[in-house]
Amino acid sequence: MRAGLVDRAGRIIDIKVASTPPSPEAVLGGLVELLAEVLENSESPVEGIGIGAAGLVDVRAGVVRYAPNLSYRDVPIVDVVSRKFGVATTLDNDATCAGYAEFRIGSGQGAEDMIMVTLGTGIGGGFIFGGHLYRGSQGFAAEIGHMVIDPSGPRCGCGQVGCWERLASGTALGEMAREAAALPGGARILAAADGQLERVRGESVMRAADEGDPVAKNLIEELGRNVGVGLANLANILDPERFVVGGGLIRLGEALLAPARAELLEKIEGAGYRPEVEVVAAELGDDAGVIGAALMVSSAL
Ligand SMILES: [Zn+2]
């Protein structure tokens, strides 16, 4: 969890980070504590609190309805926070917040139709169409990580199989890495995790690739290709001008984006008869969600 003091221009003045507690009740308690800490350090009165949370967020009610990778069910975040602090409070999906920040002050600037894709533990999304956020009828739009890419693929936290985030997220890279590390060719990936198979993560692949290991480089290319499959599906349905790709995996940079672009170009309908959809790296890093949530509440004031 991150809580930041942000000005109206989206500049972070102060930021505090805490690990996410396991139960929804503890998360709410921890969130209130973290907010109190940030508010205490503010030199001027805070005008509003914008919150981003993973999963299906009922924006109007201010409730997280469902988060597949966490145990959240119907958590009334806005009610609790606005009562406690007595200021305007908004809640939105975390990737939508990140997308809004990139659109306003990051690498989405100048695009009227952009899709934010956050590649982390799962895959999150945010839609900007015609220069405005698109949230769907309930606020549940852009759950792009649960687009089914492979109906015979691995089981997902949401209960389905073969979701995009099971094949193209940080978790997916970790699994691919453990499979590779168990084989003779994966020795350098295994070495990057101190020789312990159960400690192999996505980061082990990144480290081995940095040292020039061809097996690690292949895995990153495969992951990038899987990212591109989802981008092509989204492009065919929504015709965006630009994809802004963020989340922890974007540290891989062009090693990930180049194969994703190649796959997008291969899979998109009528590639030779349309302008190329831009695929760019996000600019605001891990703080994008915090900045976007703050910009959202400030625009609602
Ligand atoms: Zn899923």
Side-chain angles (χ1 to χ4, degrees):
M1 297 194 297
R2 284 162 189 268
L5 191 63
V6 181
D7 71 12
R8 277 178 174 270
R11 282 181 297 247
I12 291 185
I13 298 156
D14 182 24
I15 192 142
K16 300 246 180 297
V17 182
S19 60
T20 309
S23 76
E25 297 76 30
V27 168
L28 264 178
L31 175 70
V32 165
E33 244 171 69
L34 199 62
L35 284 169
E37 250 181 78
V38 171
L39 289 169
E40 222 167 79
N41 292 345
S42 175
E43 284 172 8
S44 50
V46 166
E47 292 174 278
I49 299 174
I51 303 170
L56 299 184
V57 172
D58 184 333
V59 174
R60 263 169 290 174
V63 175
V64 178
R65 293 289 175 208
Y66 172 83
N69 298 317
L70 300 160
S71 55
Y72 295 1
R73 303 293 181 261
D74 291 322
V75 188
I77 295 188
V78 166
D79 201 37
V80 171
V81 171
S82 63
R83 241 185 252 187
K84 171 81 189 168
F85 298 104
V87 294
T89 304
T90 59
L91 175 71
D92 217 309
N93 171 270
D94 55 353
T96 298
C97 290
Y100 189 60
E102 294 290 344
F103 170 68
R104 289 275 304 271
I105 63 168
S107 40
Q109 286 178 89
E112 284 283 291
D113 299 289
M114 79 156 242
I115 295 178
M116 177 81 201
V117 179
T118 60
L119 303 175
T121 310
I123 298 181
F127 292 156
I128 306 277
F129 298 137
H132 296 284
L133 276 169
Y134 178 80
R135 297 186 175 96
S137 64
Q138 307 297 316
F140 301 166
E143 285 287 283
I144 57 179
H146 301 284
M147 162 171 57
V148 176
I149 298 286
D150 178 2
S152 55
R155 177 77 54 186
C156 179
C158 74
Q160 300 305 314
V161 290
C163 293
W164 191 26
E165 72 171 38
R166 293 297 287 107
L167 303 164
S169 64
T171 309
L173 182 62
E175 276 167 25
M176 287 155 70
R178 281 187 289 282
E179 257 174 53
L183 302 170
R188 290 172 77 174
I189 296 172
L190 191 60
D194 300 326
Q196 290 170 275
L197 191 59
E198 67 281 0
R199 288 180 58 183
V200 171
R201 300 277 179 279
E203 289 81 38
S204 326
V205 183
M206 296 189 196
R207 222 170 303 145
D210 280 343
E211 289 161 11
D213 177 33
V215 177
K217 286 184 176 175
N218 279 344
L219 286 186
I220 291 168
E221 175 162 0
E222 191 186 333
L223 188 81
R225 288 265 171 192
N226 290 350
V227 170
V229 173
L231 297 185
N233 288 343
L234 289 167
N236 281 339
I237 299 167
L238 297 163
D239 183 27
E241 173 184 350
R242 190 179 304 166
F243 286 106
V244 175
V245 184
L249 282 183
I250 201 57
R251 272 179 295 156
L252 291 166
E254 282 303 304
L256 184 77
L257 292 184
R261 275 189 211 104
E263 191 72 18
L264 167 62
L265 204 59
E266 216 167 273
K267 293 257 186 313
I268 197 171
E269 181 192 5
Y273 301 91
R274 60 196 297 166
E276 208 170 303
V277 186
E278 298 168 45
V279 181
V280 302
E283 270 173 25
L284 302 172
D286 294 338
D287 296 329
V290 166
I291 296 168
L295 289 175
M296 270 187 207
V297 73
S298 105
S299 74
L301 288 171

